[in-house]
Amino acid sequence: MGERCHDIERSIIKRFRKEIWRPFVRALNEYDLIREGDRIAVCISGGKDSMLLAKCMQEILRHGRMEFELKFLVMDPGYHPANRKLIEENAALMELPVHIFQSDIFDTVVDAGGSPCYLCARMRRGNLYANARELGCNKIALGHHFDDVIETILMSMLYGAQINTMMPKLYSTNFQGMELIRPLYLVKEEHILAWKEYNGLRFLQCACRFTEQIAREQAMEEQVHTSKRQEMKELIRHFRQVNPHIETNIFKSVENVNLDACIGYVKNGVRCHFLDEYESGHAL
């Protein structure tokens, strides 16, 4: 093993044990993300989150008590050659035996008109499931973290008029027998950034042609806002100045849903209203 790779791995277990390793292991246990005999495709986009996820999964396989398999899956949706080279160099540095497959998603979504982000995400997810299944995997692991979860909660409330969250695991509706897991569910982005800086690593920020085009069209002194998620990051940053526990409270709000104090909710696709049982619950 290369000395640099060893230092990177050691930093996860030692230097960032409290901030990264323990929350990672806690999510695995709390949400039952890995089971004996699983074959998991760890999906690597080239960013800091998926690269850290790959190393954490590699470490738990080495040091854990459960027998399972890992495949490290990279989809090239049409990256610029320099971006693909960076992914390959980081994979080699971190000793990740990646399987790279090609697709034309970027070309497809750019011609779709409007903002192609939603279509791109759906197509990428479908391609990952399909290729993971070809490798004999029953699960795919994505690098979504704690901040992604709370941003999703806020976006669903403020822009979707509903209370929704990003689940730690879910079954695929289009690929029978396949499951998606998010092992970094309890790891905060600030600690992932700290791990990246501590090890002097450089990862892809966003290799999407669409957002790159937006950035080029903006004046250099302007801050570029490309998504509602960025708005949520700024909103949470503001909240944090008022209450340092705001992120935890947002997260726990979807763990502590009180149906007795909800006007309506949806269960298994059926919409329920508090008036449906209101009279029957009234004490005579």
Side-chain angles (χ1 to χ4, degrees):
M1 179 187 296
E3 183 176 346
R4 183 85 189 283
C5 180
H6 176 75
D7 290 342
I8 292 170
E9 293 172 352
R10 183 176 175 81
S11 71
I12 296 172
I13 303 293
K14 299 294 184 180
R15 173 65 178 80
F16 293 96
R17 188 175 189 84
K18 177 182 177 182
E19 297 86 355
I20 293 176
W21 184 249
R22 286 179 181 170
F24 164 71
V25 173
R26 182 156 63 92
L28 295 184
N29 294 330
E30 188 166 328
Y31 303 116
D32 190 23
L33 300 185
I34 300 177
R35 293 188 175 181
E36 196 83 24
D38 278 343
R39 178 178 288 184
I40 304 170
V42 181
C43 301
I44 299 175
S45 66
K48 66 184 189 317
D49 308 327
S50 61
M51 283 292 189
L52 173 62
L53 169 64
K55 292 309 297 181
C56 286
M57 294 294 282
Q58 203 175 48
E59 287 298 292
I60 200 67
L61 178 61
R62 289 172 181 164
H63 305 297
R65 301 177 182 178
M66 197 176 298
E67 292 292 332
F68 62 95
E69 295 182 56
L70 293 177
K71 299 291 183 181
F72 298 97
L73 193 58
V74 177
M75 177 180 63
D76 183 345
Y79 288 137
H80 185 281
N83 290 332
R84 173 158 174 165
K85 182 181 178 183
L86 179 59
I87 295 175
E88 293 171 337
E89 289 175 346
N90 280 328
L93 169 66
M94 301 172 74
E95 300 186 6
L96 296 168
V98 296
H99 299 263
I100 302 179
F101 69 93
Q102 193 75 31
S103 73
D104 60 355
I105 290 176
F106 280 177
D107 289 333
T108 301
V109 300
V110 166
D111 296 333
S115 174
C117 299
Y118 177 74
L119 177 60
C120 181
R122 285 183 60 87
M123 292 182 67
R124 287 165 72 104
R125 185 75 54 83
N127 273 265
L128 288 170
Y129 271 124
N131 281 269
R133 189 162 62 181
E134 285 185 11
L135 292 173
C137 298
N138 64 308
K139 293 180 179 179
I140 66 171
L142 301 184
H144 297 121
H145 48 66
F146 182 86
D147 295 65
D148 292 321
V149 178
I150 60 175
E151 289 159 16
T152 299
I153 296 170
L154 286 182
M155 281 194 298
S156 73
M157 294 175 65
L158 301 181
Y159 289 102
Q162 59 183 330
I163 298 177
N164 235 3
T165 190
M166 180 181 284
M167 299 298 287
K169 65 178 182 180
L170 67 158
Y171 287 110
S172 170
T173 55
N174 298 318
F175 293 85
Q176 189 72 25
M178 295 289 292
E179 193 174 1
L180 180 153
I181 62 173
R182 296 182 167 107
L184 297 183
Y185 200 76
L186 301 178
V187 178
K188 294 185 177 181
E189 186 176 28
E190 64 177 300
H191 299 141
I192 300 176
L193 287 166
W195 169 80
K196 168 181 160 295
E197 295 299 323
Y198 178 83
N199 288 287
L201 296 168
R202 184 173 70 92
F203 299 118
L204 288 186
Q205 294 291 332
C206 177
C208 172
R209 294 178 189 170
F210 183 73
T211 54
E212 285 178 346
Q213 178 181 348
I214 291 175
R216 286 195 299 269
E217 292 172 353
Q218 301 292 326
M220 292 299 293
E221 67 273 10
E222 292 181 357
Q223 186 175 8
V224 180
H225 302 288
T226 60
S227 69
K228 297 300 181 187
R229 190 167 292 277
Q230 182 60 34
E231 291 182 22
M232 295 305 102
K233 287 181 182 294
E234 295 174 5
L235 184 60
I236 293 168
R237 190 179 300 119
H238 171 72
F239 285 156
R240 195 185 297 125
Q241 295 174 357
V242 179
N243 180 357
H245 305 294
I246 197 75
E247 296 152 304
T248 301
N249 291 342
I250 294 171
F251 183 86
K252 287 186 176 297
S253 71
V254 293
E255 288 186 337
N256 300 317
V257 176
N258 182 1
L259 295 183
D260 292 332
C262 286
I263 294 175
Y265 61 94
V266 177
K267 177 67 175 177
N268 296 326
V270 178
R271 182 170 296 278
C272 304
H273 194 274
F274 86 101
L275 287 178
D276 295 341
E277 298 181 357
Y278 181 77
E279 294 296 340
S280 62
H282 179 62
L284 297 178

